[in-house]
Amino acid sequence: MSNKALAAGLGSCPKCHKLNVMHSERQVCSRCLTLFSARKPKSIEYTLAWTIAALVMFIPANIYPMMVFYTFGNPEASTILEGIAIFIQMGMLPVAVIIFIASFVIPLGKIIGLFTLMYNTKRKTQLSLKQQGKLYHIVEFLGPWSMLDVFVVTVMAAVVNLGFLSSIEPAVGITYFTLMVIFTIFAAESFDPRLLWDNYQKHNHQSLSEKTYNKTDVPHHDK
């Protein structure tokens, strides 16, 4: 739905996609009776709050131990980075790469992507609408995959026997990491991508108006 539809008092139902006449800010769809708004209420506020919460959780998730290794009954707690180093030393490079990507690349990429999307709803950006749309879909798609790290640790704790390593147990850091993933999922769900289109049209309209003014309203002096 474009700004033209919004200005004309029309809104698209998010459930059945029927175009409705918006008699009020919150409208009941004439087809499926879903209560909806033309734009998600306080989308940026909720997205910002969830993203900041995810960023806060990212710190203890990397400070506190993620796993506890038991070698001959002796516990050895390790953070994410320490766990990655241990897997590399044990020759388990694929597992180390998976944990590194799931623990750092994906979470940080999602958080940065969410901040970028929120910035693009308020300021003029060099990214095209297509690029902004792709960024939003990537952030949304990566949500559940961030739990891959938790899944790897849990499976290894349950079934894997690694030579001299007798057992592995999840540690307190996995709780913070799980909360971080959940918060980024909530942030992506709270974000309304239609705000990107609204901002794009707003700035393009201003640019077009300025160009038109410069061409038509600037006086020309006769030579």
Side-chain angles (χ1 to χ4, degrees):
M1 184 178 63
S2 69
N3 256 339
K4 294 181 180 179
L6 188 63
L10 301 175
S12 176
C13 173
K15 188 172 181 180
C16 68
H17 306 293
K18 177 177 174 57
L19 202 61
N20 291 261
V21 177
M22 301 296 293
H23 299 292
S24 60
E25 178 144 353
R26 292 179 66 80
Q27 174 74 32
V28 175
C29 177
S30 59
R31 176 188 290 165
C32 66
L33 303 181
T34 298
L35 184 65
F36 71 97
S37 302
R39 297 290 185 267
K40 289 183 180 180
K42 298 184 179 179
S43 171
I44 299 302
E45 289 84 350
Y46 285 127
T47 304
L48 180 60
W50 287 120
T51 305
I52 292 176
L55 186 59
V56 171
M57 290 296 103
F58 182 80
I59 298 172
N62 286 275
I63 293 177
Y64 289 105
M66 191 77 163
M67 297 173 287
V68 179
F69 295 82
Y70 286 91
T71 307
F72 301 112
N74 297 320
E76 182 182 351
S78 66
T79 62
I80 294 175
L81 287 177
E82 292 170 345
I84 292 172
I86 290 174
F87 284 125
I88 293 175
Q89 291 173 2
M90 296 174 63
M92 302 189 66
L93 185 60
V95 176
V97 171
I98 290 173
I99 293 179
F100 175 73
I101 293 175
S103 302
F104 280 91
V105 178
I106 292 179
L108 280 179
K110 284 176 59 182
I111 291 172
I112 293 173
L114 286 165
F115 278 122
T116 302
L117 289 171
M118 286 185 284
Y119 177 84
N120 289 347
T121 63
K122 299 295 184 181
R123 299 289 186 270
K124 189 173 183 180
T125 175
Q126 299 298 323
L127 296 177
S128 65
L129 271 178
K130 186 176 181 180
Q131 291 172 327
Q132 295 179 57
K134 284 184 177 179
L135 177 60
Y136 169 73
H137 288 301
I138 289 173
V139 169
E140 190 179 36
F141 172 78
L142 289 178
W145 288 100
S146 299
M147 293 296 289
L148 186 61
D149 190 17
V150 178
F151 175 76
V152 169
V153 174
T154 305
V155 170
M156 290 182 64
V159 300
V160 176
N161 183 13
L162 304 175
F164 296 106
L165 193 64
S166 58
S167 63
I168 301 176
E169 289 184 1
V172 65
I174 204 168
T175 302
Y176 293 104
F177 187 88
T178 303
L179 288 174
M180 177 192 65
V181 173
I182 293 173
F183 291 160
T184 55
I185 293 175
F186 286 167
E189 288 296 322
S190 300
F191 184 76
D192 192 340
R194 293 171 295 186
L195 297 175
L196 297 171
W197 175 254
D198 292 346
N199 187 62
Y200 180 83
Q201 282 198 325
K202 173 185 174 182
H203 285 286
N204 273 15
H205 177 73
Q206 288 178 350
S207 299
L208 183 61
S209 299
E210 290 174 1
K211 289 180 180 179
T212 304
Y213 173 80
N214 291 334
K215 288 182 179 180
T216 59
D217 294 349
V218 175
H220 296 280
H221 299 284
D222 295 332
K223 294 182 180 179

